[in-house]
Amino acid sequence: MKIAILSRNKKLYSTRRLVEASEQRGHEAMVVDVLRSYMNIASSKPEVHFKVENLPAIDAVIPRIGASVTFYGTAVLRQFEMMGAFPLCESVAISRSRDKLRSLQLLSRKGVGLPNTGFAHNPDDIGDLIKMVGGAPLVIKLLEGTQGIGVVLAETRKAAESVIEAFMGLKANILVQEYIKEAGGADIRCLVIGDKVVAAMKRQAQAGEFRSNLHRGGSAALIKITPAERATAIKAAKIMGLNVAGVDILRSERGPLVMEVNSSPGLEGIEAATGKDIAGMIIEFIEKNAKPHNTRTKGKG
Ligand code: ADP
Ligand code: MG
């Protein structure tokens, strides 16, 4: 098969591993920088050009679209879908997962455990918003944040009010969330491929920090997850419509709570922590499922 990996940088660990795994399994892999791609939408024959060349027919696309290029990146992916390539994750599913509020609403509608979460537009409503999610301590998150940046723990109601007011003053979109103290600065990353959790790791925040992101100095270790955690991760990925997803779960007194569902989970941390060939499993999934025009939306969404 000809596999296109949509990634801005060939040298990134995940990109390199996906190229390696494709070639090992006898496929031809090419890395396509979405920002260097342009498209012919007007004709009845959709095309994608990359650095002046008209790309050959692609069988499957692995999107690794960074949060900052979601808009253009999903448009390029949609174009490949219109051309009949099999997307590892569909453009609509990626757009959906990038909107934190929409994701939480979809998950809550289907009864997935979530931390109590609120959002508001108007600073006059802050008092009631804080009360609604159960009072301080509270976690306040910038909707556009990633890698733990823009996630703040407010220990008291006064602190929460000030932080929310400050963010709203900057016209930033935020959500306000119940703090899951018993998680102890740890979360669980479940890597879902198809309808299976193929690997899981526990990420532990460094001392004095509640955010477990590896970018914030957290450390990763192998963990055995419970059946409830496994079922929750699979259900969350399915609701989001993602064939491959990194589902982040907090262990709470009332069971597993989903924090976020990531459509381009990094492979470095999880391959190192578990010693598993996740890139190989992703290519294997594509081999089993790639059929031309095998998207529910066919690029229409
Ligand atoms: P980002 O998208 O920036 O990674 P997250 O929502 O994943 O933001 O939050 C970053 C980290 O902060 C999480 O991995 C987790 O360790 C911690 N965290 C986030 N929300 C909560 C919460 N409601 N209760 C306890 N810890 C949390
Ligand atoms: Mg996170």
Side-chain angles (χ1 to χ4, degrees), residues 100 115-116 138-139 141-142 145-151 153 177-181 183-187 203 205 209-213 216 248 250 259-260 262:
K100 286 194 187 189
N116 276 330
L138 280 177
V139 177
K141 298 184 187 181
L142 278 178
T146 56
Q147 306 180 343
I149 297 166
V151 179
L153 174 60
Q177 200 164 65
E178 159 196 20
Y179 175 51
I180 308 300
K181 191 166 188 290
D187 72 350
R203 295 179 299 198
E209 171 61 72
F210 80 104
R211 297 166 301 175
S212 62
N213 302 68
R216 304 270 73 75
D248 294 341
L250 290 170
M259 216 171 16
E260 61 177 348
N262 196 313

Side-chain angles (χ1 to χ4, degrees), residues 13 15 57 73 99 106 117 124 163 165 173 260 264 274-275 277:
Y13 178 91
T15 309
D99 180 337
L106 288 169
T117 306
D124 294 343
V163 174
E165 250 166 37
N173 286 312
E260 61 177 348
S264 295
T274 63
D277 174 14

Side-chain angles (χ1 to χ4, degrees), residues 19-254:
V19 169
E20 206 172 272
S22 303
E23 289 172 352
Q24 256 167 21
R25 300 181 67 94
H27 306 296
E28 202 181 307
M30 60 194 300
V31 178
V32 175
D33 176 357
V34 286
L35 295 191
R36 293 293 308 275
S37 308
Y38 45 100
M39 301 163 280
N40 178 356
I41 298 176
S43 82
S44 57
K45 247 191 170 175
E47 293 176 354
V48 176
H49 287 221
F50 175 54
K51 293 186 184 169
V52 190
E53 284 187 55
N54 188 0
L55 287 183
I58 298 289
D59 299 298
V61 186
I62 303 179
R64 304 279 319 171
I65 298 167
S68 59
V69 296
T70 301
F71 182 73
Y72 193 70
T74 50
V76 174
L77 176 58
R78 205 151 47 233
Q79 188 82 355
F80 279 111
E81 290 167 7
M82 285 160 61
M83 291 160 65
F86 171 77
L88 179 64
C89 286
E90 280 180 65
S91 54
V92 275
I94 294 174
S95 306
R96 197 185 281 140
S97 75
R98 289 290 157 83
D99 180 337
K100 286 194 187 189
L101 292 183
R102 186 177 176 194
S103 303
L104 292 173
Q105 286 171 324
L106 288 169
L107 295 170
S108 88
R109 194 173 68 181
K110 300 278 182 179
V112 172
L114 300 169
N116 276 330
T117 306
F119 59 98
H121 191 67
N122 193 327
D124 294 343
D125 309 326
I126 292 176
D128 190 42
L129 179 72
I130 292 176
K131 233 191 276 163
M132 198 172 75
V133 295
L138 280 177
V139 177
I140 300 153
K141 298 184 187 181
L142 278 178
L143 284 197
E144 289 82 25
T146 56
Q147 306 180 343
I149 297 166
V151 179
V152 179
L153 174 60
E155 311 254 9
T156 63
R157 187 177 55 83
K158 269 268 150 265
E161 275 174 9
S162 309
V163 174
I164 296 170
E165 250 166 37
F167 278 150
M168 282 185 169
L170 294 168
K171 305 248 176 291
N173 286 312
I174 54 163
L175 60 78
V176 178
Q177 200 164 65
E178 159 196 20
Y179 175 51
I180 308 300
K181 191 166 188 290
E182 63 270 26
D187 72 350
I188 298 168
R189 158 62 59 97
C190 295
L191 204 118
V192 179
I193 301 181
D195 54 4
K196 286 195 188 77
V197 175
V198 298
M201 65 174 166
K202 180 178 174 174
R203 295 179 299 198
Q204 180 69 53
Q206 53 178 257
E209 171 61 72
F210 80 104
R211 297 166 301 175
S212 62
N213 302 68
L214 303 183
H215 287 96
R216 304 270 73 75
S219 56
L222 194 64
I223 193 178
K224 198 166 160 39
I225 57 171
T226 65
E229 287 160 354
R230 186 174 295 276
T232 299
I234 294 166
K235 187 171 174 186
K238 183 152 189 255
I239 292 168
M240 300 306 295
L242 294 166
N243 291 323
V244 169
V247 181
D248 294 341
I249 287 178
L250 290 170
R251 278 188 170 165
S252 83
E253 278 158 3
R254 57 179 199 273

